[in-house]
Amino acid sequence: MLSRPKPGESEADLLRFQNQFLAARASPAVKVVKKADKRRGAGGSGDEERPPLQDSKDVVILEDFPDVLPALTPAPPKKSKFKNACVCFNDEDPEERLECQDRHITAVFSKIIERDTSTAAVTMPVPTGDPFPRAFHRSEIKNEVKVESGRKSIFAQKIAAKRAAEEAVTAPPAVETRRTHGRLAVSGAMCSPGSAEEEPLHSTKDGKPDDGVSTQQPHIITGEGLGSLESEREALAIHEENLQKLHSMTQEEILQEQRRLLVQLDPSLVAFLKSRHGVDEGQERREKPGPPEPGTESQHGAKETVKDFSVGGSGMEESVRTEKDTRMEITEVDLPIKPQKEWIHMNNVEFEKLEWIKDLPHPRQKRTKKGMQARFSLKGELIPPDADLPTHLGLHHHGEEAERAGYSLQELFHLCRSQIIQQRTLALQVLGHVVQKAKAGEFASSLKGSVLRLLLDAGFLFLLRFSLDDTVDNVIAASVRALHALLVSPEDEEYLDQTFSWYQGMAVFPFTPNSEEEEEEEEEEEELTLMEKTPRKKSRDENKPDPDVARYDVIKGLLKTQFLHRLRYILEVVRPVPAVVLDILDILTRVARHSSEACSQLLACPRLIETIVREFLPIQWDPRVAEPGHLLTSLHGVACATAMKLIRVLASGGRNATARLLNKFELKSRLSRFIAEDPQDLPLCREEAIRLSTEAFRLWAVAAGYGQSCDLYRDLYPVLVKILQSLHHLLSDCQENPTFPLSIQRATAVVTLLTHVTQTAGCTAELQARLSSSGPGDGEQIPPPPVTWNQVSGLRPFLETSLRRSVQEISRLETWQALQPLTTTYIIYLGVYYSVCSQQPSLNPIDCLEEVERLTSEVLLPLLSQPAMHSMWDLLRPCSALCNPLSCSPAPESLPSIVSLSCTGGKPLMSLAGSKSPFPFLTALLFLINNVTHIHKGLVSKAGTCPDYAQHASLHHCVAMALLSRLLPGSEHLAHELLLGLAFNPEFIPEGKTGGPEAADFSDILHLGTSTKLAQPGLVAAGFPKPRRGVLLGESYQHLPFIRACYLSLFVHLEPALARSQVAYQRRTYLVQSLLLPEVKGPILPSDWPFFPLISLYNKVTGAETRGAVLNSLPPDLVNTVTRNLQWVLLLETWRARVLQNISAAAKLARLMCVFLTGGDLFREGPVYCYTAALLALYCQPKVLDSLELDAPLPGLASFHDLYISVLEQFEGVSFGDPLFGVFVLLPLQRRFSVQLRLAVFGEHVSTLRALGVPLKQFPVPLERYTSPPEDNLNLLRQYFRTLVTGVLRHTWCPVLYAVAVAHVNSFIFSQDSTTQEADTARKSMLRKTWLLVDEVLKKHLLYYKVPNPESPMGIDLYEQLPPIRLKYLQMVTKKEPKENMQMSDPE
């Protein structure tokens, strides 16, 4: 079987295949059908006369050339879709078609077309007597003229000079004339306007152009395209005509023509002409190397002016150009090493090439508005621009700004990709120092912008990721250190360790960025269900490129790059030095704090956790590590506290992760190993041993928080009792022991562990009872933990005794600050103990009450009476993040993609986590008091800090309401308790039963005489009774239980989160799933949560209408929901106005408009109508109207304009001229708001003017807010005038807008201020049309309007006769006699 040709085979191969085919005499696969050639007639195509194929064919074969044309670009060849489907015509010559499609290399040589030389001038070589051209020596270069560019080689300079000489000899006589000033003026006209203004036309002393212009050689018009011998003559004729034109023009005319050309010509063409001008100037210098002729200096000056302006004329570029010119003028004196004549190849010294060896100029700060490039030292410090540092420091280089010491970020990035190991390492180290100092805020006052943001935008994160893949240990160490500086904040970790033993301190928020971009993408998928949404979000992140993910979440972006696998390889195979190992463990800890998903990826990474546990948490290791002075060269095989902390943070990610760590990686045995042995007996240095023991106790506490590993409690009970017995010795070691702070941390970890074990033991009886009462069909039951209440109840005496001793030190400030963390854990333990103890069925309640009484009388009451306690209460305000926002201000270099606690540099002393903060101690104390008073109700009166709450009920209610809108996810239990017991409790709203409603009515009566309008506008017209605000408030107060039920029923979507929060706060450890709180995307309840029922109902109705449903009326229960919502808002606006002060007036108005947009006739319901009118009266008060800003962005709304258009459409459809609805429509039409709102009413929705019949006396907003200042929008003024003249806007239909339109039209037609011609023509035209109106009433209103007056029947006051100024202007515009105008003064 014959083989087929393959791509790349030559024509010889094809001929060989053809001969084989013919020799085999095989039948062809394709039958050739020969058609007659139409060009040859009916005789056929003539193929019969064609000789058969021969074996030998005349083929051109080029041995040194490829068969295919070489590609001109490195890009892959393009594939055409239509290459195999070309259209063929019958009359097309096949041979010609083959020739056109031939791509063989020989086709290139067969298509060569020689250039036409018929018009080219033939020059003979210069005759010499030498047999060969004379060779020149480089010594002859000294006698030649240097060319303009100093970068050409000697040979190139010689050749250029020789060619210039030959051209000068062979050029025609007509073009050998010198260049004159007129030529410069012509070329200058094509350069720039700046150059022409300075040197427009260089002329002689009498100001006229030089006569030599007539023989000027043309440079723009060359005649090359004419293709004939007359081209040069035609070009010269055109040139002479141009010169004659220039002679006839003055200098000002030339400048004017120059500007016109620059405006009309394409900028690229102007740049081309400039380049030709520069080439011609350089060629002229080569042609005439002699001394300059008269006028050359001015010519040179003009050229320099053009050059300067053509680059923009900036001062910085001009200084750079000056420096370059200075470098070209370097002489032998400037060189530190003088060239000697005897040196080889130094006969001709090229000074421009030796410039780099001269001394650097002194650095100086350039006087420019632009900022200078920041440069850093090898320690990451910012070097001032004018710092003159010695060169031996290694901070100078041969790059840009060689005289300035230091490296810029761009240069450091470049060095990171160097092939030299030392340069890569050094650059990464410097970048790490820069990041560390930037996070500390050292560059905030010196540099513009954020250094970290600039680095991340430039790809710094992936530069570090690529550097981790390096094979050199030093580069890996430097990249790990830089990554540690970027991601890890040691201060954050310190404060998180400090808060571990606080009340609810183990529950932490994940360090997940709250990205706006992610929120926008999630809003697009709101219609998806929760089950569909989660995998969609995961797949969306997987499909995104790594840089896009890292832009809003650095940790997530790193995890997509197999980051964990590389760190595992470094730990397992590379085995770096201890400092690098510690940095890697810190980085992994920071990754684990990101989210529960990150914890899962850490656990799923192959051999990562196994390597960490095996290498850095071994059971035994070399005891020489603990010897003083021992140099630790490797951390592998040695126990490390940082590794234990990583495991503890991983365990906080969830109970399943904790179970895997304890069982799969055998951490129980390691916990027993590090807890059973005293830290001073561990073969480690003392500080490291205490840290390791502390982290072991914390890990056990986390596991006990899930109800796990409690079996170790029985095994290690003697160890725990021994530690508790030694706690009182800490007081004696307070001053002497340098490790006292570490010992306090270890003690707090132990007490925290016992607290969680006590919580778990308190659940044993409940789980045992469930297990005993369960049947076969009840499903799987949770087994009780292996620890009982009797096993933990004996710990209380130890801890209570320690608490008594610690409290005695409260008067000693230094000792108390050191013992305060431990005392806090004692109090938390007792609070948990008594709370769980009261629920144990096996204990006698009377014994529990007696213990509580004894604790209160002997410990709590004396403690509360201490003077130091009063100072602690006073310190709460400056340490509060709410009262003192500066205490928790963000760091200067905080980034949204890297979440941080902003603890870099340490928190202030007077902050929530500061050393002087009383927050943890007072929180624990209040937790204990709360539990004690719940157990023993009789102790409430004994507590000195609990006076009669009725005296401060309003204050307590305000605090509870403020707290509701600030609670974050995870505190749903607290929010539920506040809603149940405080927010809607009548006892905390004493105004309802102490004359509050009557005071509201009295306030309305005294409200500046506007009570008639500020009551309920439109109630009389709607046929409803007219209740006073006091009556509505009294009714709302009586309905508080129903209002509470309404709000609680609408928070159903929070039930899953509420259940998780209740598990954590009620200490049911067997149900806790994770110690990581939900992601923070805002408070649990939004700031406008009082409007939540109305907004929720509006969204439901809008969604149903979108799906095609028609809801004209709502069920009674939904009407009651809206009524309860309006009652609660009215109550808050009247008696708790400060609670709603964070909600803008525009947001309140927008939410109240939902009453009219929800259903067709909801607003017509009696209670809804009354409460809406009462709220509208409050929102129309002057202070509220002054604060109304409709142009500001509103939460939950794309724009107020869109909402207002919906209100207009609803008003047109269902209002039937309702006055209350009409007031809501008229409110946004005030003069200071957007003109687009008024244009919407008078434009697309002009039909609303027929139904906006709000009476002037019932309108609660002063008309001055609509008429002042005068309208300046011409389109709106024309709409005003058109609606008035055509009768669309009438006083009987819309009295408010009628008065407004008349006021603005009158102000416009009589305005004589300077304005545009269009506006002036329009106002004169309106005035003429007004004068010619047939409607005398409207004519009188438009001409004689004076001021708005709501008390007047028409809403306006009129002049009895026109003022003289207006009368004169009217006479001028209408061209009437004054007496004719005077007749308008008293029309009937």
Side-chain angles (χ1 to χ4, degrees), residues 704-762:
Y706 298 120
Q708 301 177 5
S709 69
C710 290
D711 52 343
L712 292 177
Y713 175 79
R714 296 175 300 180
D715 302 335
L716 300 175
Y717 183 79
V719 177
L720 297 175
V721 173
K722 181 180 178 181
I723 294 175
L724 294 180
Q725 292 174 345
S726 64
L727 289 179
H728 67 278
H729 296 296
L730 290 175
L731 292 176
S732 59
D733 298 341
C734 180
Q735 303 295 334
E736 303 174 358
N737 191 358
T739 60
F740 177 75
L742 295 177
S743 301
I744 289 293
Q745 292 183 14
R746 179 172 178 266
T748 57
V750 173
V751 179
T752 303
L753 163 68
L754 297 178
T755 301
H756 289 282
V757 172
T758 303
Q759 290 179 357
T760 303

Side-chain angles (χ1 to χ4, degrees), residues 1003-1242:
S1003 174
D1004 291 343
I1005 295 174
L1006 299 179
H1007 190 71
L1008 301 178
T1010 59
S1011 60
T1012 56
K1013 290 197 296 184
L1014 289 181
Q1016 297 77 20
L1019 287 179
V1020 178
F1024 293 114
K1026 188 178 180 181
R1028 300 185 306 273
R1029 185 159 60 110
V1031 176
L1032 297 177
L1033 287 172
E1035 184 180 359
S1036 302
Y1037 183 79
Q1038 296 297 327
H1039 291 168
L1040 278 176
F1042 303 105
I1043 295 175
R1044 178 179 62 184
C1046 171
Y1047 276 86
L1048 290 177
S1049 64
L1050 290 171
F1051 292 142
V1052 179
H1053 66 284
L1054 296 176
E1055 285 187 356
L1058 175 61
R1060 292 192 298 268
S1061 179
Q1062 287 176 341
V1063 165
Y1065 278 92
Q1066 295 174 1
R1067 295 166 292 281
R1068 288 181 287 175
T1069 57
Y1070 61 92
L1071 294 178
V1072 176
Q1073 297 298 321
S1074 174
L1075 295 179
L1076 281 180
L1077 298 172
E1079 295 183 16
V1080 181
K1081 294 185 177 180
I1084 301 172
L1085 300 178
S1087 59
D1088 60 346
W1089 69 268
F1091 293 92
F1092 182 75
L1094 180 58
I1095 298 173
S1096 177
L1097 181 60
Y1098 166 73
N1099 292 332
K1100 290 181 180 178
V1101 171
T1102 305
E1105 292 177 349
T1106 304
R1107 292 189 293 270
V1110 179
L1111 301 176
N1112 292 325
S1113 60
L1114 297 178
D1117 57 335
L1118 297 183
V1119 175
N1120 291 333
T1121 299
V1122 176
T1123 304
R1124 304 294 180 239
N1125 190 172
L1126 297 176
Q1127 287 176 338
W1128 179 239
V1129 174
L1130 178 63
L1131 190 146
L1132 293 179
E1133 288 285 2
T1134 305
W1135 294 332
R1136 297 290 183 269
R1138 295 183 60 184
V1139 174
L1140 301 178
Q1141 66 182 359
N1142 292 330
I1143 309 175
S1144 64
K1148 295 176 183 178
L1149 180 65
R1151 279 138 183 78
L1152 205 56
M1153 284 181 174
C1154 294
V1155 173
F1156 303 95
L1157 297 176
T1158 304
D1161 54 357
L1162 173 64
F1163 70 96
R1164 294 184 172 276
E1165 299 289 340
V1168 174
Y1169 200 97
C1170 294
Y1171 283 102
T1172 304
L1175 287 173
L1176 177 63
L1178 293 177
Y1179 295 154
C1180 289
Q1181 294 179 359
K1183 290 184 179 179
V1184 181
L1185 291 177
D1186 292 339
S1187 63
L1188 192 61
E1189 295 291 341
L1190 302 182
D1191 296 333
L1194 301 178
L1197 284 178
S1199 68
F1200 185 83
H1201 181 270
D1202 297 341
L1203 176 67
Y1204 187 68
I1205 296 300
S1206 302
V1207 171
L1208 288 178
E1209 294 173 352
Q1210 188 79 349
F1211 182 82
E1212 292 173 342
V1214 301
S1215 69
F1216 296 102
D1218 182 76
L1220 180 62
F1221 202 164
V1223 174
F1224 277 89
V1225 173
L1226 292 172
L1227 262 180
L1229 301 181
Q1230 299 177 44
R1231 174 64 181 88
R1232 65 189 184 93
F1233 298 141
S1234 174
V1235 70
Q1236 300 299 327
L1237 302 177
R1238 299 189 290 277
L1239 286 173
V1241 173
F1242 285 88

Side-chain angles (χ1 to χ4, degrees), residues 358-403:
K358 72 174 184 179
D359 293 335
L360 290 172
H362 293 285
R364 60 185 179 86
Q365 190 169 1
K366 299 179 180 179
R367 296 181 179 179
T368 175
K369 295 182 180 180
K370 297 182 179 179
M372 301 186 68
Q373 194 173 31
R375 294 190 173 275
F376 302 91
S377 67
L378 298 182
K379 295 182 179 179
E381 300 168 346
L382 184 64
I383 300 178
D386 54 351
D388 191 6
L389 301 179
T391 56
H392 69 270
L393 297 178
L395 299 177
H396 293 79
H397 49 82
H398 301 298
E400 297 180 356
E401 300 178 329
E403 68 277 3

Side-chain angles (χ1 to χ4, degrees), residues 450 453 456 511-516 550-554 590 893-900:
S450 172
R453 188 182 299 275
L456 291 180
F511 283 26
T512 304
N514 185 14
S515 174
E516 296 180 358
R551 184 160 44 85
Y552 63 83
D553 194 335
V554 168
R590 174 62 181 82
E893 285 282 352
S894 58
L895 293 175
S897 58
I898 304 177
V899 178
S900 173

Side-chain angles (χ1 to χ4, degrees), residues 19 79 281 385 402 495 509 636 640 676 916 1055 1118 1146 1196 1274:
N19 294 333
K79 296 182 179 180
E281 293 291 338
Y495 283 105
F509 288 103
H636 288 70
C640 175
K916 293 186 178 181
E1055 285 187 356
L1118 297 183
L1274 188 58

